Amino acid sequence: MDYTELLSNPVRMRVMQYLVIHEEATTGEIAGFLSDVPRRTLYRQIGSLIDAGAVIVKEERKVRGGTERLLTGNYIPYLQKIDFADRAYQYFMDLYLKFDNYSKEHGKKTDKAAEKDKLVFGSSVFYLDDDEMQAMLDEIYEMGIRYEKQHKEKYGDKAVGKLRNLSFISAPVE
């Protein structure tokens, strides 16, 4: 299965995004984060990622009569096989599908729901050299980790609040 096909499934895409951020996680940790996905569906999609080699089982351990797997992403071989335009297409399609599903869910009340849910999109333009741009990206990444850690300290593994997707695109302006 090629990378575009593999990640055309939104559940598999979210699993891979989680592993990119956390580097490794148990299936239970992923299930806790993706609490909106039925466990059967989640485990089937994780199995697809393992079968395709996009996820590697680092360790298996017995826990309460079951087996817990520690997983890590193996996405680099896939990224090397596809060109940048295909990756960008997959990214934009994922964003479009999320927004389309949101709009379908809320129908004519999408504007009010978007305001309530803090759904935002916009664009800002800055003059930055490469070092400044890298510093900005590093700060955004660190900020995400900090907020995730604060949330976990406050609520533990409970799914409290709304699952939110923050997407970021950086491109030079012509």
Side-chain angles (χ1 to χ4, degrees), residues 27-72:
T27 49
E29 289 169 335
I30 295 170
F33 182 73
L34 301 178
S35 60
D36 60 315
V37 178
R39 283 196 182 234
R40 206 176 200 145
T41 300
L42 179 64
Y43 291 153
R44 186 177 61 250
Q45 297 306 334
I46 289 173
S48 295
L49 290 166
I50 292 169
D51 291 344
V55 168
I56 296 171
V57 179
K58 283 182 73 172
E59 181 183 330
E60 288 186 342
R61 52 186 171 236
K62 298 290 182 195
V63 177
R64 289 171 279 183
T67 301
E68 180 178 70
R69 298 180 296 182
L70 181 64
L71 308 172
T72 188

Side-chain angles (χ1 to χ4, degrees), residues 2-174:
D2 72 16
Y3 190 74
T4 303
E5 182 182 346
L6 188 72
L7 296 184
S8 64
N9 178 289
V11 173
R12 291 191 297 250
M13 172 74 109
R14 291 172 61 196
V15 168
M16 290 301 291
Q17 288 171 338
Y18 187 87
L19 289 172
V20 166
I21 292 168
H22 295 89
E23 295 181 16
E24 62 182 31
T26 66
T27 49
E29 289 169 335
I30 295 170
F33 182 73
L34 301 178
S35 60
D36 60 315
V37 178
R39 283 196 182 234
R40 206 176 200 145
T41 300
L42 179 64
Y43 291 153
R44 186 177 61 250
Q45 297 306 334
I46 289 173
S48 295
L49 290 166
I50 292 169
D51 291 344
V55 168
I56 296 171
V57 179
K58 283 182 73 172
E59 181 183 330
E60 288 186 342
R61 52 186 171 236
K62 298 290 182 195
V63 177
R64 289 171 279 183
T67 301
E68 180 178 70
R69 298 180 296 182
L70 181 64
L71 308 172
T72 188
N74 186 36
Y75 48 87
I76 299 300
Y78 285 93
L79 291 177
Q80 291 171 340
K81 291 178 186 174
I82 63 169
D83 67 16
F84 190 80
D86 285 342
R87 282 188 273 162
Y89 173 78
Q90 184 62 46
Y91 175 82
F92 289 122
M93 285 307 299
D94 181 59
L95 280 177
Y96 172 75
L97 288 172
K98 286 175 183 163
F99 183 76
D100 189 52
N101 289 337
Y102 186 88
S103 296
K104 286 176 182 172
E105 180 182 337
H106 296 289
K108 292 184 180 193
K109 297 179 182 177
T110 296
D111 287 346
K112 288 183 182 180
E115 185 177 329
K116 178 180 167 278
D117 290 339
K118 309 293 185 233
L119 175 67
V120 297
F121 47 88
S123 184
S124 299
V125 179
F126 307 93
Y127 277 109
L128 300 172
D129 65 29
D130 290 345
D131 292 335
E132 293 167 328
M133 184 63 200
Q134 187 59 55
M136 179 187 264
L137 293 172
D138 291 344
E139 286 181 48
I140 291 168
Y141 176 78
E142 290 167 9
M143 181 179 61
I145 298 298
R146 187 178 74 242
Y147 274 91
E148 183 179 32
K149 182 180 175 187
Q150 288 173 358
H151 187 81
K152 191 167 185 112
E153 287 172 357
K154 187 174 182 181
Y155 299 109
D157 289 331
K158 296 178 189 167
V160 177
K162 292 181 180 164
L163 188 59
R164 299 180 188 271
N165 177 32
L166 179 64
S167 297
F168 186 82
I169 300 169
S170 168
V173 177
E174 296 298 324

